[in-house]
Amino acid sequence: MAKKNQKFEESDKKEIVRLYLEEKLNPRQIAIKYECSQKKIRNVIDKSGVKKRSISEGIILSSNTFTDNEIKKIIRLYEEDKLNSIEIGQIINKSKSSIERAIKSYGDPSKYRDRSITDLNRRKITEEEGFKLKELYETDITITLRDLKKHISEDVTIHTISAAIKRAGGIVRDSHEAAIRKTRAFTDAEVEEFCRLQTEDGKSIREIAEIFNADYGTICRSIDLYGSKERQREVTFWDKQKILDYGRELVKDMEELPPHSVLEKNHSGWNAAIARYYEGGKFQLAIDLGIKPKQKNYSNISEINKKELCDLYRYGYTLRDLSFKFNIRRETCAQVLEESGIKRRDPGGGGDCMESVLASTGRYAITRECEYYIVGIKGYPEQIKPGISFDKEDRSSKSDGLYENEYLVKQLNSREEAFFLEESILAQTISYFDAPEELINDSWGGWTELRKMQPNELIRIFDYFYNELEDLGMWKFAATYVPMTQSQKEECERRAAKETNG
């Protein structure tokens, strides 16, 4: 074994990677075996080029004893054999809750079956109707689950239809497969027919889209771009790699992407594919191409994005969360909310943000110990709330008498450490947000941080991030896990390097 001040031999490096991939040990556990720092282990794993585990995978592995083969067996029994978590637990000899965590962490989200959804499926769609839906779905690959609603009822959910097809023995396509077909590049003859139907027969865009089983926006663009002139894009089904490769050729020796008008005229197929198939859109694509991304202007936010922004705000996202997601200023987010008639909630928190951390202003002007806590909410036994405070009295002053049981109180060295942990954990658990309507209406500032989950689940997530904070150091942890702008991330990376070099 390599000691602290020794270099790893190739055999050591291969064993470290094997321990990480096959035995699912984390860098901390491997470092103990090799009597070295966790940073050295992380460097070996990073340089090996292996795919690193996601946060959710790391969290579940830090708190269970499943082997790789057991996880594969659990997923197979659940997704292919349609067994429930209780039945699988009896086979694997593990608890129902641990089986469910494994399914949620490693399984296909589209195949997850909530009990209430399963019961609803069985009531709303008969077995005979399910077989008919399966036949329709498999006969035409451009048909989506949403298209099938008109054969049943608008009251039936997509989940219900999906479950009915699966019960009939069908396989539900990836959500983008039919969409790819619907947004295909049309032939000249098809585009001419679009135009004829619109100008001569008086058909609406929606009616044309239904006739050709195509996307509404694609029909609009086809008529606008190609109705009276030669088509300019190839018949190509794009994926992320094709988009990236095309972009590399396009921006050779350029400092930025061409303007929108040029892209629409000469590269419309590629331009249209970015929003649908490239996560992060043009902003992320520009970063991946090594050029400076353009900040999205307010005028470029579509009505769909505005609606999504408002829905996410109601769901509990903060203006800061929304500014990162849509790549716009927080003031712009606030403007969209105001124009949509949505009342802004009390921001709470009192000045906890990356700007204050990096500038050492407000609560970050003085280094002082700070607590991270998890508490129950009085009158709401299913709700828990994480938060940070300097002490118990400070915490109590924020609660409006709602804080009850203390499930966790952890003393940290500084407000910065507490804030970074809080931001990371809130982002990781956003899907558990579920605030009672009366607390929202009462404008209690802490409602956006409420989580409907068991305390031990949140403590388990806290333990994972706390260990990462210890392993990486405060600034590297922030750059890795905390939502922030690119310039803020670069500053955190710079401070992390300084922290490492002493």
Side-chain angles (χ1 to χ4, degrees):
M1 293 289 182
K3 301 299 181 181
K4 285 184 179 180
N5 299 319
Q6 292 178 332
K7 290 186 176 181
F8 289 124
E9 301 292 339
E10 285 303 314
S11 59
D12 290 319
K13 294 178 181 178
K14 289 180 181 178
E15 177 62 9
I16 288 169
V17 173
R18 189 193 70 78
L19 290 170
Y20 180 77
L21 291 178
E22 296 180 16
E23 297 193 21
K24 303 298 183 183
L25 298 188
N26 60 40
R28 176 191 291 269
Q29 294 166 322
I30 301 173
I32 292 172
K33 283 179 172 287
Y34 278 83
E35 300 179 16
C36 67
S37 69
Q38 294 158 42
K39 183 180 177 182
K40 288 185 70 175
I41 300 299
R42 288 178 183 273
N43 284 339
V44 172
I45 295 170
D46 289 342
K47 290 177 181 178
S48 72
V50 300
K51 183 179 179 181
K52 296 180 72 175
R53 288 192 281 270
S54 66
I55 295 174
S56 58
E57 287 176 321
I59 290 171
I60 192 170
L61 283 172
S62 67
S63 60
N64 75 28
T65 56
F66 289 128
T67 65
D68 194 33
N69 286 335
E70 282 179 326
I71 291 171
K72 290 178 180 177
K73 186 174 183 180
I74 289 169
I75 302 306
R76 178 181 61 76
L77 291 172
Y78 184 79
E79 295 182 353
E80 296 179 18
D81 296 350
K82 307 298 182 187
L83 299 187
N84 60 40
S85 55
I86 296 176
E87 294 167 330
I88 298 171
Q90 292 170 345
I91 295 172
I92 303 293
N93 196 25
K94 297 286 185 180
S95 69
K96 172 179 176 289
S97 58
S98 63
I99 296 294
E100 287 180 344
R101 283 199 301 271
I103 291 169
K104 289 180 180 179
S105 296
Y106 296 104
D108 182 344
S110 67
K111 296 180 180 179
Y112 181 71
R113 306 184 299 274
D114 179 84
R115 180 175 206 135
S116 61
I117 292 176
T118 302
D119 291 342
L120 184 64
N121 290 343
R122 296 184 185 282
R123 288 197 302 270
K124 283 198 170 182
I125 298 181
T126 66
E127 186 175 344
E128 183 181 355
E129 288 173 327
F131 280 108
K132 288 181 180 179
L133 289 175
K134 173 179 175 289
E135 185 179 354
L136 284 169
Y137 189 67
E138 292 179 345
T139 301
D140 186 347
I141 59 174
T142 68
I143 286 182
T144 64
L145 296 177
R146 190 171 299 281
D147 294 331
L148 293 175
K149 283 170 69 76
K150 61 189 177 186
H151 294 281
I152 301 294
S153 167
E154 282 299 316
D155 295 330
V156 175
T157 66
I158 298 299
H159 293 295
T160 303
I161 295 172
S162 173
I165 292 173
K166 290 175 182 177
R167 288 201 308 275
I171 298 175
V172 176
R173 293 188 287 273
D174 177 89
S175 59
H176 292 302
E177 285 186 39
I180 290 172
R181 307 286 177 172
K182 285 177 176 289
T183 57
R184 66 190 185 278
F186 293 99
T187 65
D188 292 332
E190 286 175 317
V191 174
E192 288 173 5
E193 181 63 8
F194 297 163
C195 298
R196 190 195 67 76
L197 288 170
Q198 185 189 42
T199 57
E200 297 179 15
D201 294 358
K203 298 285 185 182
S204 67
I205 299 295
R206 196 163 299 283
E207 288 174 320
I208 298 171
E210 188 164 334
I211 292 170
F212 283 85
N213 192 21
D215 177 72
Y216 177 90
T218 305
I219 297 294
C220 289
R221 288 193 297 273
S222 296
I223 292 174
D224 291 343
L225 295 173
Y226 314 120
S228 58
K229 58 185 178 181
E230 185 180 353
R231 293 173 71 250
Q232 295 166 333
R233 64 178 174 183
E234 297 176 355
V235 181
T236 303
F237 295 150
W238 295 94
D239 58 26
K240 184 174 181 179
Q241 190 57 50
K242 285 183 181 179
I243 293 170
L244 189 59
D245 292 342
Y246 190 102
R248 287 195 180 108
E249 289 296 317
L250 181 62
V251 300
K252 278 183 177 177
D253 304 321
M254 296 175 64
E255 294 184 357
E256 61 180 24
L257 289 170
H260 179 75
S261 58
V262 174
L263 294 179
E264 277 298 305
K265 181 178 180 181
N266 300 321
H267 314 280
S268 54
W270 178 75
N271 189 48
I274 295 171
R276 184 177 291 277
Y277 308 122
Y278 207 93
E279 186 176 353
K282 287 182 185 175
F283 186 84
Q284 184 59 49
L285 176 61
I287 293 173
D288 294 343
L289 290 171
I291 59 179
K292 186 177 179 180
K294 292 182 179 180
Q295 292 292 114
K296 183 186 287 186
N297 296 321
Y298 176 46
S299 59
N300 289 337
I301 301 179
S302 67
E303 291 302 319
I304 293 175
N305 282 344
K306 289 181 189 177
K307 182 180 183 303
E308 184 183 2
L309 185 150
C310 295
D311 289 342
L312 290 174
Y313 186 76
R314 294 189 187 96
Y315 183 65
Y317 276 53
T318 64
L319 292 182
R320 184 167 68 252
D321 296 331
L322 295 170
S323 70
F324 292 134
K325 179 172 179 59
F326 293 97
N327 187 30
I328 55 177
R329 297 165 63 239
R330 276 179 283 183
E331 292 80 3
T332 302
C333 297
Q335 184 182 347
V336 173
L337 295 172
E338 183 179 349
E339 290 179 356
S340 301
I342 296 176
K343 183 181 177 182
R344 291 268 305 281
R345 56 180 177 258
D346 188 313
D352 284 309
C353 61
M354 279 303 302
E355 291 90 336
S356 293
V357 173
L358 295 175
S360 298
T361 58
R363 290 175 171 176
Y364 302 95
I366 301 174
T367 300
R368 179 182 168 189
E369 288 187 343
C370 189
E371 294 176 347
Y372 181 94
Y373 62 84
I374 299 173
V375 296
I377 302 298
K378 192 177 295 182
Y380 302 93
E382 294 184 326
Q383 304 285 342
I384 56 175
K385 180 189 179 298
I388 61 176
S389 64
F390 285 119
D391 49 46
K392 191 167 186 176
E393 287 70 27
D394 176 42
R395 189 188 335 146
S396 178
S397 68
K398 302 174 184 176
S399 74
D400 290 348
L402 287 171
Y403 289 179
E404 198 168 36
N405 300 329
E406 289 184 352
Y407 297 110
L408 172 73
V409 178
K410 181 70 175 180
Q411 198 78 26
L412 298 160
N413 295 323
S414 65
R415 183 85 178 185
E416 288 89 343
E417 286 188 352
F419 172 67
F420 292 156
L421 275 171
E422 180 184 46
E423 290 292 285
S424 304
I425 294 170
L426 286 175
Q428 178 65 23
T429 59
I430 189 67
S431 61
Y432 291 92
F433 168 79
D434 188 3
E437 198 69 35
E438 52 268 35
L439 293 184
I440 298 174
N441 294 335
D442 288 344
S443 298
W444 177 54
W447 70 269
T448 61
E449 297 171 354
L450 291 177
R451 298 295 185 260
K452 189 175 182 180
M453 60 194 305
Q454 292 299 312
N456 64 330
E457 288 185 274
L458 189 53
I459 291 171
R460 180 166 53 87
I461 293 171
F462 168 83
D463 287 340
Y464 173 83
F465 281 108
Y466 181 75
N467 288 335
E468 289 291 284
L469 176 64
E470 283 194 328
D471 292 351
L472 299 173
M474 184 173 75
W475 294 110
K476 184 63 177 177
F477 175 87
T480 305
Y481 292 115
V482 178
M484 63 180 73
T485 65
Q486 184 61 29
S487 61
Q488 289 170 344
K489 183 173 183 177
E490 290 170 359
E491 175 60 20
C492 287
E493 292 281 10
R494 187 186 68 77
R495 296 189 186 192
K498 186 177 179 181
E499 189 176 57
T500 300
N501 297 328

